[in-house]
Amino acid sequence: MKIIAIDPGYERLGIAILEKGTGKETLLFSECFVTKTTEKHENRLKLIGEELEKVIKKYQPEALGIETLFFKTNAKTAMKVSEARGVMLYEAAKNGLWVLEFTPLQIKVAVTGYGKSDKDQVTAMVKRLIKIEKPLKYDDEYDAIAVGLTFFACYRTR
């Protein structure tokens, strides 16, 4: 089974394609897609949709694993990320992908075994759980890979 996993964002979007056969999960692709702050809001959303469409068409995943949103303070940022997340869910539906959503707590438990893990602990475990061929510049890619690993951990139990 091949999936696309997303760490949703507006300025930076973590995207990973993972595949699971009879053995261990394999990372086929990952990137941190960045939109420029100088672009108009609606253009940034369009660029996110176009990038996802391109990745989905190239890798042909069956499903989408995506993190739910959790914001404590900044409502302006939360709205923009929510709108970007809507674009992501639209692209999944348009391409016939079924969707599993995970909370940050679920992802931390699935990857590290501890729900209060910090970003460094999640990143360290992702590096142990799956082979990554290239250096990753942003945490967003590690987070997307963690979402994918969570997908397969939960999918196994269904």
Side-chain angles (χ1 to χ4, degrees), residues 1-156:
M1 168 178 240
K2 196 182 304 177
I3 66 157
I4 183 169
I6 297 177
D7 176 41
Y10 175 66
E11 184 177 338
R12 293 193 329 241
L13 169 70
I15 304 170
I17 301 288
L18 286 84
E19 187 170 38
K20 173 94 171 151
T22 55
K24 196 173 176 180
E25 297 87 357
T26 304
L27 178 64
L28 303 177
F29 169 83
S30 72
E31 75 171 335
C32 180
F33 183 72
V34 179
T35 62
K36 296 179 183 173
T37 56
T38 55
E39 284 282 344
K40 291 169 59 177
H41 175 64
E42 59 274 17
N43 289 341
R44 291 172 87 175
L45 294 176
K46 178 178 168 269
L47 291 169
I48 289 169
E50 289 172 349
E51 182 65 14
L52 287 178
E53 183 176 42
K54 181 179 83 173
V55 172
I56 290 168
K57 291 222 180 302
K58 181 175 181 178
Y59 290 97
Q60 298 291 307
E62 299 171 48
L64 165 71
I66 190 167
E67 185 175 5
T68 59
L69 297 182
F70 176 76
F71 283 95
K72 288 183 183 177
T73 53
N74 193 339
K76 185 177 176 184
T77 300
M79 289 302 293
K80 289 183 177 186
V81 175
S82 294
E83 290 172 358
R85 197 171 178 279
V87 170
M88 297 165 207
L89 294 173
Y90 167 79
E91 285 297 330
K94 183 175 91 173
N95 287 282
L97 308 182
W98 58 282
V99 177
L100 284 181
E101 301 179 68
F102 305 102
T103 65
L105 177 67
Q106 288 173 308
I107 295 165
K108 290 173 183 179
V109 168
V111 174
T112 69
Y114 180 59
K116 293 184 180 181
S117 300
D118 62 27
K119 279 202 170 283
D120 291 337
Q121 291 169 316
V122 172
T123 298
M125 281 306 296
V126 166
K127 289 177 182 177
R128 288 181 175 169
L129 293 170
I130 196 163
K131 186 175 183 178
I132 301 172
E133 299 285 338
K134 63 176 183 156
L136 305 183
K137 186 175 179 181
Y138 294 106
D139 289 346
D140 308 82
E141 276 184 82
Y142 286 110
D143 292 346
I145 296 166
V147 171
L149 292 170
T150 303
F151 180 100
F152 286 121
C154 292
Y155 181 73
R156 242 179 284 161

